[in-house]
Amino acid sequence: MKGLLFLIGSLLLVSCAALPAIRPVADLAEKNIICPSPFLTGKIRLIHAIEVRAAGQVQTVMIGVTITDPVTRTISCALMSAEGVALFEAVSGPDGLKVSRALPPFDAADFARKMMDDIELIFLAPQGALTEKGISATGETVCRRHKEPDGWIDVLEGRDGAININRYSEGGRLQRRVTLAGGLANPYSTIDLQALERVDYSLMMTLIESETVRDEPQRKE
């Protein structure tokens, strides 16, 4: 039994050791650290031009439309070609994921789930317990959250104001790196998402239009 507990403990230590170190600060200073929060606080429609890049080359250009509600954590997403053809449409929320349109190659297995996870990572405040906050090795303010078994999310703010959101697996492997060059002032003007998978790719998203969405009041019967 002791051997089993030691093995489990060792595995946990290894998983944590793979994560980038966060340098702690004095107790009083730590209390003054405000976690960077570029995330949506209201329901908003965002339209972005999206460049899909792989192997250092632009593979395709699309238009992405998202409506994200941070209260219900509901995401509505559509992808269109540059000519305006609807390629993909889906909604994700408390009732699960529903795909209403998916033309090849957007009908591939797990594409919809991964895409919705990426949108959630960019626009919605991470869930899970705050486990650490302090200074990264490169001098950024960083707050780390953990939601088992979904893994770890670091939100970092650099001295230049740029925001980075890094998602790690439960074992500490970097899966996504999001850079919001506009910082807290205009976080969604330019979004760079790096996906680290079997075949790495990146999305460069440039904001075209944003609009607050107000729900219509329900009619009384």
Side-chain angles (χ1 to χ4, degrees):
M1 184 64 178
K2 289 183 179 180
L4 178 60
L5 292 175
F6 176 80
L7 176 60
I8 294 173
S10 299
L11 291 173
L12 289 174
L13 287 173
V14 169
S15 69
C16 292
L19 295 168
I22 296 177
R23 176 164 55 85
V25 293
D27 291 342
L28 183 59
E30 183 174 341
K31 292 178 182 178
N32 293 330
I33 290 179
I34 299 175
C35 291
S37 184
F39 307 103
L40 293 178
T41 58
K43 190 175 182 180
I44 293 181
R45 177 189 293 109
L46 296 164
I47 302 176
H48 283 89
I50 305 173
E51 289 186 356
V52 181
R53 301 176 180 179
Q57 301 293 325
V58 176
Q59 303 297 317
T60 188
V61 177
M62 302 178 293
I63 302 296
V65 182
T66 59
I67 300 176
T68 307
D69 185 348
V71 175
T72 61
R73 299 185 75 86
T74 298
I75 299 167
S76 175
C77 170
L79 292 177
M80 296 180 292
S81 69
E83 296 76 26
V85 177
L87 305 172
F88 177 85
E89 296 176 1
V91 175
S92 176
D95 296 329
L97 173 63
K98 181 180 179 181
V99 178
S100 55
R101 184 176 180 84
L103 300 183
F106 304 103
D107 58 346
D110 293 334
F111 171 82
R113 181 70 273 162
K114 288 183 178 181
M115 180 173 180
M116 291 305 194
D117 287 346
D118 287 345
I119 294 173
E120 180 177 342
L121 179 68
I122 295 170
F123 296 122
L124 295 180
Q127 297 178 305
L130 179 65
T131 62
E132 290 183 82
K133 60 180 180 177
I135 306 298
S136 72
T138 50
E140 298 127 317
T141 298
V142 54
C143 291
R144 174 171 293 162
R145 291 186 177 273
H146 179 224
K147 184 183 178 185
E148 190 177 359
D150 298 338
W152 310 78
I153 293 179
D154 287 357
V155 183
L156 308 95
E157 183 177 13
R159 295 177 182 177
D160 60 354
I163 301 291
N164 285 286
I165 307 167
N166 297 333
R167 188 180 78 205
Y168 301 87
S169 69
E170 188 68 20
R173 182 179 68 84
L174 180 62
Q175 298 174 319
R176 295 290 188 275
R177 176 183 286 117
V178 176
T179 300
L180 307 177
L184 295 176
N186 196 6
Y188 304 124
S189 58
T190 304
I191 303 167
D192 182 5
L193 182 144
Q194 304 287 329
L196 307 175
E197 298 191 349
R198 294 179 184 175
V199 178
D200 296 345
Y201 65 89
S202 66
L203 305 179
M204 179 61 72
M205 304 169 61
T206 303
L207 183 64
I208 297 174
E209 181 181 316
S210 65
E211 178 186 17
T212 299
V213 177
R214 304 191 184 281
D215 294 327
E216 296 182 1
Q218 295 182 351
R219 296 180 180 180
K220 295 183 179 180
E221 298 294 340

